[in-house]
Amino acid sequence: MEDEERHAWRGRAVLYERDVAAVGRDTCRGPHYTSRAVDADSLLDIDFRIAPADLGLAPHGRLVLTDVTCGGATWTAPGSVLLRVSPTRAYITWGGVFFLLARQT
């Protein structure tokens, strides 16, 4: 992903609710969320090719991985995989880039 495209993601709205999931213009009505706690070391190293420390995780840390499906099918959109690394920090990934989510009130 080029720098210009990466910077365009700043401020993009992300929404995960019971009846809708949305990342920017990509919207899923009737999402299903499947979450599981996983060892960050193996998941991040193997699936995402990133060191857990790069996301602020301690060695041998754990995270909650949430897969989002839409209408019973794979949702191929940014935000279809959510990596929650702490109660206050989560990431989505797209185009090889990790985006930190910030909750707004």
Short mmCIF file of all heavy atoms in Angstrom, two decimals, residues 2-27:
data_model
loop_
_atom_site.label_atom_id
_atom_site.label_comp_id
_atom_site.label_asym_id
_atom_site.label_seq_id
_atom_site.Cartn_x
_atom_site.Cartn_y
_atom_site.Cartn_z
N GLU A 2 0.61 2.14 -0.89
CA GLU A 2 1.39 3.37 -1.00
C GLU A 2 1.09 4.30 0.16
O GLU A 2 0.02 4.25 0.76
CB GLU A 2 1.08 4.07 -2.33
CG GLU A 2 1.43 3.26 -3.55
CD GLU A 2 2.92 3.05 -3.71
OE1 GLU A 2 3.70 3.95 -3.35
OE2 GLU A 2 3.31 1.97 -4.20
N ASP A 3 2.03 5.21 0.47
CA ASP A 3 1.87 6.14 1.58
C ASP A 3 0.60 6.97 1.45
O ASP A 3 -0.13 7.17 2.42
CB ASP A 3 3.08 7.09 1.68
CG ASP A 3 4.29 6.41 2.27
OD1 ASP A 3 4.15 5.32 2.86
OD2 ASP A 3 5.39 6.98 2.15
N GLU A 4 0.31 7.45 0.26
CA GLU A 4 -0.87 8.29 0.05
C GLU A 4 -2.15 7.54 0.40
O GLU A 4 -3.04 8.06 1.07
CB GLU A 4 -0.91 8.77 -1.40
CG GLU A 4 -2.05 9.72 -1.68
CD GLU A 4 -1.98 10.24 -3.11
OE1 GLU A 4 -0.88 10.58 -3.59
OE2 GLU A 4 -3.05 10.28 -3.74
N GLU A 5 -2.24 6.29 -0.05
CA GLU A 5 -3.42 5.48 0.25
C GLU A 5 -3.50 5.17 1.75
O GLU A 5 -4.57 5.23 2.34
CB GLU A 5 -3.37 4.18 -0.55
CG GLU A 5 -4.61 3.33 -0.36
CD GLU A 5 -4.55 2.03 -1.15
OE1 GLU A 5 -3.56 1.79 -1.87
OE2 GLU A 5 -5.50 1.26 -1.03
N ARG A 6 -2.37 4.85 2.35
CA ARG A 6 -2.33 4.57 3.79
C ARG A 6 -2.81 5.77 4.60
O ARG A 6 -3.61 5.64 5.51
CB ARG A 6 -0.92 4.15 4.21
CG ARG A 6 -0.86 3.63 5.63
CD ARG A 6 0.54 3.21 6.03
NE ARG A 6 1.36 4.40 6.22
CZ ARG A 6 2.50 4.65 5.61
NH1 ARG A 6 3.00 3.81 4.75
NH2 ARG A 6 3.17 5.76 5.85
N HIS A 7 -2.36 6.96 4.25
CA HIS A 7 -2.76 8.17 4.97
C HIS A 7 -4.24 8.48 4.77
O HIS A 7 -4.88 9.09 5.64
CB HIS A 7 -1.89 9.36 4.56
CG HIS A 7 -0.48 9.23 5.03
ND1 HIS A 7 -0.14 9.17 6.36
CD2 HIS A 7 0.67 9.12 4.34
CE1 HIS A 7 1.18 9.04 6.48
NE2 HIS A 7 1.70 9.00 5.26
N ALA A 8 -4.82 8.07 3.65
CA ALA A 8 -6.24 8.30 3.40
C ALA A 8 -7.12 7.51 4.37
O ALA A 8 -8.29 7.82 4.54
CB ALA A 8 -6.58 7.94 1.96
N TRP A 9 -6.56 6.49 5.01
CA TRP A 9 -7.32 5.70 5.97
C TRP A 9 -7.52 6.44 7.29
O TRP A 9 -8.42 6.11 8.06
CB TRP A 9 -6.59 4.38 6.25
CG TRP A 9 -6.88 3.35 5.21
CD1 TRP A 9 -6.49 3.36 3.90
CD2 TRP A 9 -7.63 2.16 5.39
NE1 TRP A 9 -6.95 2.24 3.27
CE2 TRP A 9 -7.64 1.49 4.17
CE3 TRP A 9 -8.27 1.60 6.49
CZ2 TRP A 9 -8.30 0.28 4.01
CZ3 TRP A 9 -8.91 0.40 6.32
CH2 TRP A 9 -8.92 -0.25 5.09
N ARG A 10 -6.72 7.43 7.56
CA ARG A 10 -6.83 8.15 8.83
C ARG A 10 -8.23 8.76 8.94
O ARG A 10 -8.70 9.43 8.03
CB ARG A 10 -5.78 9.24 8.91
CG ARG A 10 -5.83 10.03 10.20
CD ARG A 10 -4.65 10.95 10.28
NE ARG A 10 -3.51 10.19 10.77
CZ ARG A 10 -3.05 10.28 12.01
NH1 ARG A 10 -3.60 11.10 12.85
NH2 ARG A 10 -2.03 9.57 12.39
N GLY A 11 -8.88 8.49 10.07
CA GLY A 11 -10.20 9.04 10.31
C GLY A 11 -11.35 8.25 9.71
O GLY A 11 -12.51 8.62 9.86
N ARG A 12 -11.04 7.14 9.05
CA ARG A 12 -12.09 6.32 8.45
C ARG A 12 -12.93 5.69 9.56
O ARG A 12 -12.40 5.17 10.54
CB ARG A 12 -11.47 5.23 7.58
CG ARG A 12 -12.49 4.43 6.80
CD ARG A 12 -11.83 3.47 5.86
NE ARG A 12 -11.27 4.23 4.73
CZ ARG A 12 -10.86 3.66 3.62
NH1 ARG A 12 -10.91 2.36 3.46
NH2 ARG A 12 -10.36 4.39 2.64
N ALA A 13 -14.23 5.74 9.42
CA ALA A 13 -15.13 5.19 10.43
C ALA A 13 -15.15 3.67 10.37
O ALA A 13 -15.18 3.07 9.30
CB ALA A 13 -16.54 5.73 10.22
N VAL A 14 -15.13 3.05 11.56
CA VAL A 14 -15.22 1.60 11.70
C VAL A 14 -16.32 1.33 12.72
O VAL A 14 -16.35 1.94 13.79
CB VAL A 14 -13.88 1.00 12.19
CG1 VAL A 14 -14.00 -0.49 12.42
CG2 VAL A 14 -12.77 1.31 11.20
N LEU A 15 -17.22 0.42 12.38
CA LEU A 15 -18.36 0.14 13.24
C LEU A 15 -18.59 -1.36 13.33
O LEU A 15 -18.66 -2.05 12.31
CB LEU A 15 -19.61 0.81 12.65
CG LEU A 15 -20.93 0.61 13.36
CD1 LEU A 15 -20.91 1.33 14.71
CD2 LEU A 15 -22.06 1.14 12.50
N TYR A 16 -18.66 -1.88 14.56
CA TYR A 16 -18.98 -3.28 14.81
C TYR A 16 -20.16 -3.31 15.77
O TYR A 16 -20.00 -3.03 16.96
CB TYR A 16 -17.79 -4.02 15.42
CG TYR A 16 -16.60 -4.13 14.52
CD1 TYR A 16 -15.49 -3.32 14.70
CD2 TYR A 16 -16.57 -5.06 13.48
CE1 TYR A 16 -14.39 -3.41 13.87
CE2 TYR A 16 -15.47 -5.16 12.65
CZ TYR A 16 -14.38 -4.34 12.85
OH TYR A 16 -13.30 -4.44 12.03
N GLU A 17 -21.34 -3.64 15.26
CA GLU A 17 -22.53 -3.74 16.09
C GLU A 17 -23.23 -5.06 15.77
O GLU A 17 -22.84 -5.78 14.85
CB GLU A 17 -23.46 -2.56 15.84
CG GLU A 17 -22.89 -1.24 16.34
CD GLU A 17 -23.85 -0.08 16.20
OE1 GLU A 17 -24.88 -0.21 15.50
OE2 GLU A 17 -23.57 0.97 16.81
N ARG A 18 -24.30 -5.34 16.50
CA ARG A 18 -25.02 -6.59 16.32
C ARG A 18 -25.57 -6.73 14.90
O ARG A 18 -25.47 -7.79 14.29
CB ARG A 18 -26.17 -6.67 17.30
CG ARG A 18 -27.01 -7.94 17.12
CD ARG A 18 -28.17 -7.97 18.03
NE ARG A 18 -27.67 -8.03 19.40
CZ ARG A 18 -28.43 -8.07 20.45
NH1 ARG A 18 -29.73 -8.04 20.31
NH2 ARG A 18 -27.90 -8.12 21.65
N ASP A 19 -26.14 -5.67 14.35
CA ASP A 19 -26.82 -5.75 13.07
C ASP A 19 -26.02 -5.24 11.88
O ASP A 19 -26.45 -5.40 10.74
CB ASP A 19 -28.14 -4.98 13.13
CG ASP A 19 -29.09 -5.57 14.16
OD1 ASP A 19 -29.03 -6.80 14.39
OD2 ASP A 19 -29.88 -4.81 14.74
N VAL A 20 -24.88 -4.62 12.14
CA VAL A 20 -24.10 -4.07 11.04
C VAL A 20 -22.63 -4.00 11.42
O VAL A 20 -22.28 -3.73 12.57
CB VAL A 20 -24.62 -2.67 10.62
CG1 VAL A 20 -24.44 -1.66 11.73
CG2 VAL A 20 -23.97 -2.20 9.33
N ALA A 21 -21.80 -4.28 10.43
CA ALA A 21 -20.36 -4.04 10.53
C ALA A 21 -20.00 -3.17 9.34
O ALA A 21 -20.48 -3.40 8.22
CB ALA A 21 -19.57 -5.34 10.50
N ALA A 22 -19.20 -2.14 9.58
CA ALA A 22 -18.84 -1.25 8.48
C ALA A 22 -17.45 -0.69 8.68
O ALA A 22 -17.06 -0.32 9.79
CB ALA A 22 -19.84 -0.10 8.39
N VAL A 23 -16.71 -0.66 7.61
CA VAL A 23 -15.40 -0.02 7.57
C VAL A 23 -15.42 0.88 6.35
O VAL A 23 -15.42 0.40 5.21
CB VAL A 23 -14.25 -1.04 7.49
CG1 VAL A 23 -12.91 -0.32 7.40
CG2 VAL A 23 -14.28 -1.98 8.68
N GLY A 24 -15.49 2.19 6.60
CA GLY A 24 -15.65 3.12 5.49
C GLY A 24 -16.95 2.81 4.76
O GLY A 24 -18.00 2.67 5.36
N ARG A 25 -16.87 2.60 3.47
CA ARG A 25 -18.05 2.31 2.65
C ARG A 25 -18.38 0.82 2.59
O ARG A 25 -19.43 0.44 2.08
CB ARG A 25 -17.85 2.84 1.24
CG ARG A 25 -17.78 4.34 1.19
CD ARG A 25 -17.67 4.82 -0.24
NE ARG A 25 -17.48 6.26 -0.25
CZ ARG A 25 -16.74 6.90 -1.11
NH1 ARG A 25 -16.10 6.24 -2.05
NH2 ARG A 25 -16.61 8.20 -1.06
N ASP A 26 -17.47 -0.03 3.06
CA ASP A 26 -17.72 -1.48 3.06
C ASP A 26 -18.63 -1.82 4.22
O ASP A 26 -18.25 -1.66 5.39
CB ASP A 26 -16.40 -2.25 3.17
CG ASP A 26 -15.56 -2.10 1.93
OD1 ASP A 26 -15.98 -2.59 0.88
OD2 ASP A 26 -14.49 -1.47 2.03
N THR A 27 -19.84 -2.28 3.91
CA THR A 27 -20.84 -2.53 4.94
C THR A 27 -21.38 -3.95 4.83
O THR A 27 -21.62 -4.46 3.74
CB THR A 27 -22.01 -1.54 4.78
OG1 THR A 27 -21.50 -0.20 4.86
CG2 THR A 27 -23.06 -1.73 5.86
#
